[in-house]
Amino acid sequence: MGFLKKEVTAETFFQAIAERLNEEDQALIKRAYKVAEKTHANQKRYSGEPYIIHPVNVAYILNDLRQEPAVVAAGLLHDVIEDTSYSREDMTLDFGKDITKLVEGVTKMSKVKNKTRMNFESIAAENLRRMLMATAKDPRIIVIKLADKTHNMRTLKFHKPEKQKIIAQETLSIYAPLAGRLGVYKIKSELEDLAFQILEPEEYQDIKEKVAAKKAERDSFIETAKIIIKQRLAEINLDVQIEGRSKHFYSIYKKMKDKDKNFDEINDLRAVRIITKEVRDCYGVFGVVHSIWTPVPGKFKDYIATPKTNQYQSLHTAVIGQDGRSFEIQIRTQEMNNIAEHGIAAHWAYKEGTNSKDVSMTAKWIERIRHWSETSSGSDSKEFLEDLTHELHEDEVYVFTPKGDIYNFPKGSTILDYAFRIHTDVGLHAKGARISGRMVPLRTELKSGDQIEVVTDKKVKPSPIWLRIVRTSSAKQKLRQYFRKIQDETANDVSVSYVAKLPSEPVPEIDLTTLKKVKPDKKKNKEKREVSIVVAGIKDILVRLSSCCSPLPGDEIIGFITRGRGVSVHKSNCDIARNHSDKKRIVAVRWDGVNNPVPVRIEVKAYDRQGIYLEMVESISKTETNILEAGASSSGEGTLLARFLIEIEHLDQLQEILDNIRSIKNILFAERVVEK
Ligand code: MN
């Protein structure tokens, strides 16, 4: 399939709307066209063409996505307020509040681009945030933006090469996945191929040629397959529509890269799609195709019973074809097919006809976006973008609550993500979970089909290492909020909570600001491990972890103001610090956020048996901890003494490692070793 769509003329556009809309709706769109044509009259595109060609094409795409007349009209008018003297008031008078609101929504999204002082990353983040806020307000706005982006991508060749690359990259990392997330696959594949062509021109050309070379062979195979299916289904009086389809270039490229295969090894370039009238026919057809050809194990997916978040529904399978090579089969109803091509856009177009369950899946996603955009402040934009783009690119897993409610998560999400999705409080106090009667730890990855019961404990409090356990942006955000709250509450707290066990006067008389670190030399800092500790509410004070008790992030700590070497930090129960004669030098300190890892030595003694050492190593690396050094020696009487130096980010992590090791059979003890 030659994928890249050509620009259309105003004439073609009017033909297209005449085929779909009634006279009255067409009149509205013609009025919008007149205003756009007049107001953009003196403007040109980079291509040198009259500007009006852009809004016309945007509106054409929106019509193609079966958007309602107001949205198509807004497409024609989308650049008018921003670029011409025609005002918001003019538009409200001429076209009413609804269309004006849509155009304003699109206008607001593009404003941030003008701030040239921002770097690319923050512009992209800010664009995305604005886009999502607009989506939350009215999802139709984002469909217009995606149509706008699609036409701009088609005409990108008129920009400078460097600019092309930046725009293509942004398209690939944000707009295309967003289109996918909203289920508008038509737009998603086109955006991906357009960006791919610019970012990897040689690979693009290569795949294009190879696809073209095998076209005749593929077509004849698919024709034969279609005839075979039709015949067999006619025998049982099932009437279906069958289409051959091919992957778009970028998805072939991605598959080759992800699976490390060459072009000839990609065998699902050939696929057929069978479209039925009724849902139950889908399963009937499924049975029939499996009786004709041998199914490929592990390829069956039932997205009818469990639709994707974007409402995509279909049965997928792969079978060994008549030539002994596999091909893909998708089976779905006409309505499912509409949704697959047009995404949630299709739903607004057929509001009356849709069932409420499907709509609520989208509503849920929009609800989540709304929540993100409301709870993250401007400075969070970058974090937000990272979280979200990560999530947009993930595949999904589906899990169940004990009651049977279904939730979906990006692949790689953990029990902790699930706990936060159930309720923030459940997340904040999660201890583990029960899956089919078995207790599993928080970091356990979710698998499709798991039925999960979270176990909570009031005594449990979030640990900074949880930020590494969660994968979803919403859970990360809830955790960050929690830590920020804790920090705010204790920011200027020089009170005794950290030093409760001390005799008296924890507030020092020494001016702490004299201990401020000299402006850090960047190079030096990189090499040296930095600990972030707040001293009496002040950051950036020169601190060092004392070697007598080697405190770990998470330990209760106190500070001791040394003469000339900053503040030395001890565990709060360290005798050396507690018994110091000069109590005035003791100061309240606390860990600040997530710290860089600290090397910690542990010792394990066990009855020696085959494989036990490996089990220890495995139980450490399971917690995603770096092992810096490892060694073991026989310690007589059939016992083994193992020593590890591991990088620990937080006390909780050490606890998890020790617990893991202690649960191994034949372990005598596992302890942290403090070297004097
Ligand atoms: Mn535009």
Side-chain angles (χ1 to χ4, degrees):
M1 164 167 52
F3 209 86
L4 305 190
K5 308 257 170 41
K6 289 270 155 12
E7 283 200 312
V8 299
T9 59
E11 205 185 346
T12 314
F13 168 65
F14 284 118
Q15 271 167 15
I17 62 158
E19 279 167 27
R20 191 173 78 99
L21 303 176
N22 64 31
E23 294 287 334
E24 196 188 327
D25 292 339
Q26 287 184 52
L28 166 73
I29 284 161
K30 278 177 188 151
R31 231 160 25 88
Y33 174 79
K34 286 238 166 70
V35 169
E37 192 187 31
K38 203 170 148 204
T39 51
H40 288 301
N42 298 321
Q43 295 170 335
K44 291 235 179 327
R45 296 276 288 170
Y46 278 105
S47 59
E49 286 173 312
Y51 195 86
I52 187 67
I53 200 73
H54 171 61
V56 161
N57 275 275
V58 171
Y60 180 83
I61 294 167
L62 291 167
N63 182 61
D64 191 43
L65 293 174
R66 300 171 200 219
Q67 293 293 292
E68 60 188 45
V71 177
V72 180
L76 284 165
L77 297 167
H78 80 272
D79 280 331
V80 162
I81 293 185
E82 194 180 2
D83 294 351
T84 77
S85 58
Y86 188 81
S87 74
R88 175 175 180 271
E89 288 71 29
D90 296 333
M91 189 174 288
T92 314
L93 276 176
D94 290 343
F95 296 97
K97 278 187 185 152
D98 189 44
I99 291 181
T100 309
K101 197 183 77 186
L102 291 173
V103 172
E104 270 194 316
V106 179
T107 308
K108 271 186 196 148
M109 271 190 271
S110 33
K111 265 194 182 141
V112 69
K113 280 183 188 155
N114 302 335
K115 289 189 184 169
T116 42
R117 259 179 304 159
M118 291 171 85
N119 63 22
F120 167 68
E121 259 187 337
S122 18
I123 291 176
E126 195 49 33
N127 277 343
L128 180 68
R129 246 173 62 80
R130 277 164 197 252
M131 196 156 57
L132 293 174
M133 278 199 268
T135 314
K137 246 185 240 151
D138 187 337
R140 294 175 301 173
I141 294 172
I142 206 164
V143 181
I144 300 174
K145 187 68 201 175
L146 286 171
D148 182 32
K149 193 80 203 168
T150 306
H151 182 248
N152 284 337
M153 282 297 292
R154 285 180 192 166
T155 53
L156 198 57
K157 58 175 182 284
F158 298 105
H159 282 278
K160 284 186 187 133
E162 311 87 76
K163 196 159 181 209
Q164 286 185 26
K165 289 226 153 65
I166 291 174
I167 295 173
Q169 191 54 57
E170 193 191 23
T171 298
L172 204 54
S173 60
I174 295 174
Y175 291 91
L178 202 54
R181 197 61 201 231
L182 295 171
V184 199
Y185 286 112
K186 255 189 181 173
I187 298 265
K188 178 181 191 264
S189 355
E190 182 172 352
L191 289 178
E192 281 180 347
D193 273 359
L194 287 163
F196 177 37
Q197 188 174 17
I198 286 161
L199 295 170
E200 305 286 351
E202 280 158 30
E203 268 101 337
Y204 175 87
Q205 203 51 38
D206 185 47
I207 289 177
K208 192 180 169 185
E209 278 161 19
K210 282 177 176 150
V211 168
K214 293 268 173 82
K215 190 175 183 302
E217 187 188 317
R218 225 170 27 240
D219 286 353
S220 93
F221 172 86
I222 282 172
E223 274 317 306
T224 316
K226 272 162 109 174
I227 293 166
I228 297 173
I229 298 169
K230 275 252 177 199
Q231 268 176 359
R232 289 290 287 272
L233 291 177
E235 287 166 19
I236 53 167
N237 287 323
L238 257 180
D239 184 25
V240 297
Q241 205 183 310
I242 306 178
E243 302 168 353
R245 59 173 268 282
S246 46
K247 278 187 166 336
H248 63 290
F249 302 146
Y250 182 69
S251 71
I252 296 171
Y253 171 70
K254 220 172 146 257
K255 194 152 196 178
M256 286 164 60
K257 270 189 87 173
D258 291 351
K259 307 238 154 123
D260 198 22
K261 287 183 170 174
N262 64 39
F263 184 84
D264 295 317
E265 290 171 299
I266 306 285
N267 47 19
D268 54 359
L269 292 181
R270 318 177 300 173
V272 295
R273 181 177 297 157
I274 305 174
I275 295 167
T276 68
K277 293 203 176 81
E278 305 283 337
V279 177
R280 61 185 151 83
D281 295 343
C282 293
Y283 293 95
V285 170
F286 175 76
V288 170
V289 296
H290 278 199
S291 73
I292 305 173
W293 296 291
T294 310
V296 180
K299 288 284 185 179
F300 170 57
K301 289 194 190 87
D302 184 353
Y303 293 119
I304 293 179
T306 47
K308 294 191 186 180
T309 340
N310 59 26
Q311 296 161 37
Y312 178 87
Q313 285 188 296
S314 190
L315 296 178
H316 288 191
T317 186
V319 295
I320 310 290
Q322 59 269 24
D323 61 355
R325 287 167 50 217
S326 71
F327 71 107
E328 250 184 15
I329 299 178
Q330 300 179 340
I331 308 163
R332 54 174 83 148
T333 64
Q334 185 61 54
E335 199 202 343
M336 291 171 192
N337 196 43
N338 279 337
I339 294 168
E341 289 196 341
H342 305 125
I344 50 174
H347 271 301
W348 302 317
Y350 302 101
K351 261 178 200 135
E352 291 87 1
T354 52
N355 68 53
S356 56
K357 189 185 123 210
D358 287 350
V359 176
S360 80
M361 289 284 271
T362 310
K364 259 189 198 162
W365 196 67
I366 303 254
E367 195 44 55
R368 275 169 67 200
I369 290 179
R370 183 172 295 146
H371 186 75
W372 284 332
S373 47
E374 277 167 4
T375 51
S376 57
S377 65
S379 63
D380 287 343
S381 284
K382 229 182 98 187
E383 274 176 7
F384 180 70
L385 174 77
E386 279 168 11
D387 292 351
L388 193 74
T389 41
H390 179 75
E391 190 159 314
L392 281 170
H393 288 277
E394 292 290 318
D395 288 324
E396 295 180 331
V397 292
Y398 301 87
V399 296
F400 298 90
T401 65
K403 281 184 184 159
D405 290 337
I406 187 162
Y407 283 92
N408 64 318
F409 288 87
K411 212 175 191 167
S413 299
T414 59
I415 294 291
L416 195 53
D417 288 298
Y418 173 85
F420 274 105
R421 183 79 65 81
I422 299 292
H423 193 279
T424 306
D425 274 340
V426 174
L428 293 173
H429 300 292
K431 199 178 163 188
R434 217 166 271 133
I435 299 177
S436 10
R438 203 166 48 88
M439 273 301 289
V440 298
L442 294 176
R443 68 167 70 248
T444 310
E445 270 191 25
L446 301 176
K447 284 202 305 292
S448 274
D450 282 348
Q451 191 161 36
I452 304 164
E453 187 191 346
V454 180
V455 178
T456 57
D457 184 340
K458 280 255 154 62
K459 278 176 278 175
V460 171
K461 268 191 268 167
S463 150
I465 60 164
W466 284 16
L467 282 168
R468 290 212 357 217
I469 295 180
V470 296
R471 294 286 297 271
T472 57
S473 38
S474 55
K476 267 187 197 151
Q477 215 181 354
K478 284 172 182 171
L479 275 171
R480 286 194 188 114
Q481 267 166 14
Y482 171 86
F483 291 125
R484 262 178 219 137
K485 208 177 127 225
I486 298 278
Q487 258 171 43
D488 289 346
E489 279 167 4
T490 56
N492 299 306
D493 182 11
V494 236
S495 71
V496 285
S497 68
Y498 288 87
V499 282
K501 294 157 201 151
L502 288 167
S504 64
E505 288 185 62
V507 185
E509 289 168 356
I510 295 143
D511 181 11
L512 285 166
T513 51
T514 60
L515 297 174
K516 280 248 182 194
K517 269 184 268 186
V518 198
K519 261 271 176 244
D521 174 356
K522 278 213 171 118
K523 260 187 209 155
K524 219 174 176 183
N525 269 348
K526 251 188 189 164
E527 289 158 25
K528 215 180 157 225
R529 287 215 173 77
E530 281 277 302
V531 270
S532 16
I533 287 176
V534 183
V535 179
I538 308 169
K539 291 188 183 189
D540 296 332
I541 297 234
L542 185 65
V543 293
R544 58 188 187 84
L545 300 177
S546 77
S547 56
C548 59
C549 55
S550 305
L552 255 185
D555 272 332
E556 283 207 3
I557 46 177
I558 53 171
F560 184 80
I561 302 167
T562 63
R563 291 177 202 278
R565 287 192 302 157
V567 173
S568 94
V569 175
H570 297 256
K571 282 196 195 173
S572 61
N573 60 1
C574 172
D575 289 341
I576 294 182
R578 286 171 66 89
N579 299 333
H580 205 281
S581 55
D582 194 355
K583 297 282 185 280
K584 289 200 175 92
R585 292 187 166 269
I586 288 176
V587 62
V589 292
R590 65 175 170 82
W591 302 102
D592 186 32
V594 183
N595 271 270
N596 286 322
V598 176
V600 168
R601 204 169 284 284
I602 62 168
E603 235 172 48
V604 186
K605 195 170 182 180
Y607 286 118
D608 202 359
R609 63 170 165 81
Q610 198 173 8
I612 193 164
Y613 182 68
L614 196 64
E615 282 173 44
M616 292 179 204
V617 174
E618 273 170 357
S619 70
I620 297 171
S621 46
K622 206 160 66 184
T623 63
E624 289 165 44
T625 321
N626 273 337
I627 302 179
L628 301 172
E629 289 168 31
S633 56
S634 157
S635 55
E637 291 158 33
T639 61
L640 177 88
L641 188 67
R643 286 191 191 84
F644 300 95
L645 185 64
I646 47 191
E647 279 192 321
I648 297 286
E649 276 170 82
H650 193 272
L651 192 65
D652 293 349
Q653 205 174 12
L654 176 65
Q655 200 52 51
E656 191 185 356
I657 290 171
L658 293 176
D659 287 348
N660 282 352
I661 294 179
R662 285 170 190 153
S663 70
I664 299 171
K665 224 174 112 187
N666 295 125
I667 297 289
L668 292 165
F669 70 77
E671 295 297 344
R672 176 177 175 202
V673 185
V674 177
E675 279 160 51
K676 296 271 152 102

